Amino acid sequence: MQLVSGGHIAVSVNGRSSNFFQNFRGLRQGDPASPILFNFVADALSNILSRAAAAGHISPVSSYLIPEGVSRLKYADDTIIMVELNDPCLSHLKFLRLCFEALSGLKINFSKSEVIITGVTEAEALRVSQLLNCLLGSFPLRYLGLSISSDKLLAKDYAPTVAKVGNLVMPWWGRYNTQAGKVA
């Protein structure tokens, strides 16, 4: 993490470089190198979770359907971690998150983190959310603009997304129609 948190840099102004000076603040949001470095660190978290699952420290879900189960889903800067609901697994997951924070220097924003638990009492769900220092979430939730629910979703649940995508597709589609097709 020395590359991210320190080092020496120089500034070039009108083709002339200044003397090197020490950088104490590291990379900031908007820096061109930030996304690639974030992906390196997010891949490290993914590897940590894979190794923990392989060693039996966490129990991924759907291991009876998928050979190694599913322990996480990632998209951009969002990560969904899925594990079975048992106390050793939850304590290992909490420990892994703390280790990830210490190793990477990144802080998990617990005010934006949610835990969603199904099939247990409200008191048990609250206990688990307090154990993991996360907010207690519930279904239906929206992820990447789509509704996700434990119940069957109806066509009306997808209507806003279909309308939004339809508004984006229709102008594109119209450009490639003939004049007769545009009238119809």
Side-chain angles (χ1 to χ4, degrees):
M1 295 314 295
Q2 184 64 26
L3 171 70
V4 178
S5 63
H8 292 81
I9 60 173
V11 178
S12 177
V13 178
N14 295 331
R16 295 188 56 182
S17 294
S18 70
N19 293 332
F20 282 90
F21 57 93
Q22 193 165 1
N23 179 9
F24 294 102
R25 303 208 68 190
L27 294 176
R28 307 316 265 164
Q29 187 172 359
D31 189 294
S34 291
I36 189 74
L37 288 175
F38 178 82
N39 284 336
F40 287 149
V41 174
D43 286 343
L45 173 63
S46 186
N47 286 335
I48 289 170
L49 292 172
S50 292
R51 289 181 181 212
H57 298 299
I58 60 172
S59 304
V61 297
S62 299
S63 54
Y64 55 91
L65 295 174
I66 302 169
E68 295 178 12
V70 178
S71 61
R72 78 258 176 233
L73 297 173
K74 289 182 2 181
Y75 181 79
D77 62 347
D78 290 335
T79 303
I80 298 174
I81 300 173
M82 299 173 287
V83 295
E84 290 184 4
L85 183 62
N86 60 51
D87 285 342
C89 183
L90 294 174
S91 62
H92 289 139
L93 179 61
K94 185 173 183 174
F95 178 72
L96 290 172
R97 288 185 337 188
L98 292 171
C99 289
F100 171 73
E101 282 186 340
L103 290 171
S104 69
L106 296 176
K107 300 293 180 209
I108 296 172
N109 188 346
F110 290 108
S111 65
K112 289 184 178 180
S113 300
E114 289 185 347
V115 60
I116 299 175
I117 305 162
T118 58
V120 297
T121 64
E122 186 72 26
E124 176 67 8
L126 189 59
R127 182 188 75 81
V128 171
S129 72
Q130 289 172 346
L131 175 71
L132 294 175
N133 301 331
C134 295
L135 302 172
L136 183 59
S138 63
F139 287 117
L141 64 98
R142 294 190 63 78
Y143 182 68
L144 300 176
L146 296 174
S147 293
I148 298 175
S149 176
S150 58
D151 300 326
K152 183 178 179 179
L153 293 171
L154 305 173
K156 69 177 183 169
D157 297 321
Y158 290 104
T161 305
V162 170
K164 186 175 183 179
V165 171
N167 290 338
L168 296 172
V169 171
M170 292 308 287
W172 171 81
W173 188 13
R175 282 186 289 180
Y176 298 102
N177 282 345
T178 63
Q179 190 63 31
K182 290 179 183 177
V183 173

